[in-house]
């Protein structure tokens, strides 16, 4: 994958969108269906030629770009909860990449989920359940654990969707790393990433 600032920003926005969806499903019980479809579909696009292709075009991340600019503002609009999810997903993605056996297991599970989409579509419960189970059998065994906070009833009703979008978050976090993203990059190029997110949001 390219290591351009644009690709890094797109993959970081994808990661943030996954975190935001997990938060909304846990706190409010619902989430935007188009954002959910974009995020879940990104898990399945392992062989995409470009970063934009992973998300079906950067236009599908318009809301995520705006959210990213807010998170990088150091303003009251920053959500500590989203920042915590993103940071944890980033750490877990590194541990996954260092675990060849688990990476292979994830790849096999994604191939199986991709086959299901040919019959049912990305948002079908069978596909979501497959991705959720894959998350449970792999990522959830790593540490640190992602502690999703929300209303008990929503957490129960949306357990599979939350796990599926967290797996998508891992996908984006891996992509962010492959594009040259890192904690240091986010720390020292915060302003440049924010400006690029603004540019992409307006495009």
């Amino acid at each position: 994958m390219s290591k351009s600032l644009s690709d890094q920003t797109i993959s970081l926005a994808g990661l943030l969108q996954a975190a935001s969806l997990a938060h909304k499903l846990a706190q409010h019980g619902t989430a935007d269906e188009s954002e959910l479809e974009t995020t879940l579909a990104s898990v399945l696009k392992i062989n995409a030629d470009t970063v934009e292709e992973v998300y079906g075009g950067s236009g599908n991340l318009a809301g995520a770009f705006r959210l990213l600019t807010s998170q990088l503002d150091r303003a009251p609009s920053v959500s500590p909860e989203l920042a915590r999810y993103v940071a944890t997903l980033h750490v877990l993605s590194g541990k996954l990449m260092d675990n060849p056996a688990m990476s292979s297991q994830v790849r096999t599970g994604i191939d199986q989920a991709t086959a299901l989409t040919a019959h049912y579509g990305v948002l079908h419960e069978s596909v979501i359940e497959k991705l959720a189970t894959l998350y449970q059998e792999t990522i959830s065994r790593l540490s640190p654990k992602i502690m999703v906070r929300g209303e008990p009833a929503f957490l129960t009703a949306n357990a599979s969707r939350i796990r599926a979008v967290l797996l998508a978050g891992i996908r984006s976090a891996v992509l962010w790393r492959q594009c040259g993203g890192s904690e240091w990059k986010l720390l020292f190029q915060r302003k440049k990433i924010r400006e690029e997110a603004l540019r992409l949001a307006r495009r």
Side-chain angles (χ1 to χ4, degrees), residues 43-64:
V43 183
L44 310 176
K45 295 177 182 175
I46 298 298
N47 297 314
D49 293 325
T50 66
V51 173
E52 283 199 49
E53 188 181 328
V54 172
Y55 304 100
S58 60
N60 287 330
L61 294 174

Side-chain angles (χ1 to χ4, degrees), residues 25-180:
L25 288 167
Q27 293 285 341
H28 308 294
T30 60
D32 184 274
E33 289 289 299
S34 62
E35 290 184 358
L36 187 62
E37 183 171 7
T38 294
T39 294
L40 294 182
S42 72
V43 183
L44 310 176
K45 295 177 182 175
I46 298 298
N47 297 314
D49 293 325
T50 66
V51 173
E52 283 199 49
E53 188 181 328
V54 172
Y55 304 100
S58 60
N60 287 330
L61 294 174
F65 292 133
R66 291 190 291 271
L67 182 58
L68 180 56
T69 60
S70 296
Q71 284 294 110
L72 295 176
D73 263 343
R74 300 186 186 277
S77 58
V78 172
S79 167
E81 192 80 349
L82 290 184
R84 179 175 66 83
Y85 288 154
V86 167
T88 306
L89 287 165
H90 176 70
V91 171
L92 290 172
S93 70
K95 293 191 174 184
L96 174 64
M97 293 175 76
D98 289 337
N99 189 328
M102 185 175 288
S103 295
S104 178
Q105 184 180 354
V106 169
R107 178 60 185 261
T108 298
I110 289 173
D111 287 342
Q112 293 169 351
T114 301
L116 286 174
T117 62
H119 299 285
Y120 302 115
V122 176
L123 293 180
H124 192 275
E125 290 304 315
S126 296
V127 176
I128 292 173
E129 190 60 40
K130 178 63 182 178
L131 294 174
T133 300
L134 180 58
Y135 176 87
Q136 280 186 295
E137 293 176 348
T138 56
I139 308 303
S140 66
R141 297 181 181 179
L142 300 173
S143 60
K145 304 293 184 184
I146 299 180
M147 303 303 294
V148 179
R149 298 168 182 165
E151 295 295 324
F154 295 150
L155 287 168
T156 300
N158 292 298
S160 292
R161 285 190 166 200
I162 290 170
R163 292 185 183 113
V165 297
L166 290 176
L167 183 64
I170 294 291
R171 165 42 169 157
S172 288
V174 168
L175 190 59
W176 155 254
R177 287 176 178 275
Q178 291 173 334
C179 290

